[in-house]
Amino acid sequence: MQKTGAIGVFDSGVGGLSVLRHIRQLLPNERLIYVADSGHVPYGDKSREYIEARSLTIARFLQQQGAEAIVIACNTASAAAAATLRNQFDMPIIAMEPAVKPAVAATRNGIVGVLATTGTLASARFAALLERYAGEVEIITQGCPGLVEQVEAGELAGAQTRALVGQYTRPLLARGADTLILGCTHYPFLAAVIADVAGGNVALVDTGAAVARHLQRRIQEELPSRKSAHATDEFFTSGDAGQASRIMSALWGADVVVKQLPQEFM
Ligand code: DGL
């Protein structure tokens, strides 16, 4: 296997596949390596130090596999660890954040709801994002403990998932939000249920497509002479490889074989 030319992508678990699908669509010739840190999911209720340590470990693995750019396909890990990764790795590090800017542009009534992990909502990076882009728009935030676990289990539309989505979404709707930000990369996989609860007049926004475009720009600008390797998708997990293969095949829409991360990266 060629050990260069790859783009590494990681998340606390399977949620980052909602970003990876946009990357695959935009960059069909790239070798993509995805790590689901499902052995440590959820990140949302972990300390910044913990998430930083996991992000560093995974970035080292991706570099060892030939990654020449890394996408943190996780809002929580971006808030906790993007600065540290940029300090320690001499390659483009693409981070992400809840879609506050596009939501502020899209809202018609000036009320926006944010669904995200408690870690993201409590972060300095999120506070800075609101400071910069909220302007006159009222932004209502809602932490969503338990939703990530439902997606990890492949429970995208069952009764418990619907109940949780309802519990978290209704207070935002009751306050008049006409735009909901899916501020965690797991949540696009729940978009059908969220849209069902929210009704047709509420817009859902996330940043997966924008992150893919940003990645494309960064590699064109910063790695102009690189040659991408053969287009392949490679998947790794720190969780159970059998379960990950099942769930990730369903989310990816094609059969994928997920390998276990080597022990030293677990
Ligand atoms: N997918 C994640 C995010 O975008 C993290 C979820 C979690 O592990 O809590 O925030």
Side-chain angles (χ1 to χ4, degrees), residues 100-101 104-105 110 128-139:
V100 171
K101 190 181 170 193
V104 164
L129 188 65
L130 292 189
E131 179 70 30
R132 183 149 177 220
Y133 294 115
E136 299 299 301
V137 169
E138 183 186 354
I139 310 268

Side-chain angles (χ1 to χ4, degrees), residues 92 213-225:
R213 287 193 300 273
H214 183 59
L215 167 69
Q216 182 182 42
R217 230 176 8 253
R218 292 281 301 274
I219 55 181
Q220 278 165 356
E221 282 168 13
E222 294 173 47
L223 306 166
S225 56

Side-chain angles (χ1 to χ4, degrees), residues 74-166:
C74 174
N75 295 271
T76 313
S78 292
T84 307
L85 291 194
R86 285 180 179 139
N87 259 331
Q88 303 218 6
F89 290 85
D90 185 20
M91 65 171 90
I93 303 286
I94 316 304
M96 61 191 298
E97 59 200 17
V100 171
K101 190 181 170 193
V104 164
T107 179
R108 288 152 290 144
N109 69 359
I111 309 173
V112 166
V114 187
L115 300 165
T117 69
T118 45
T120 294
L121 297 176
S123 67
R125 191 178 158 106
F126 184 69
L129 188 65
L130 292 189
E131 179 70 30
R132 183 149 177 220
Y133 294 115
E136 299 299 301
V137 169
E138 183 186 354
I139 310 268
I140 314 162
T141 61
Q142 175 68 56
C144 306
L147 272 194
V148 162
E149 287 89 332
Q150 294 303 109
V151 178
E152 288 291 312
E155 295 288 343
L156 304 187
Q160 202 186 341
T161 302
R162 296 188 83 87
L164 277 175
V165 165

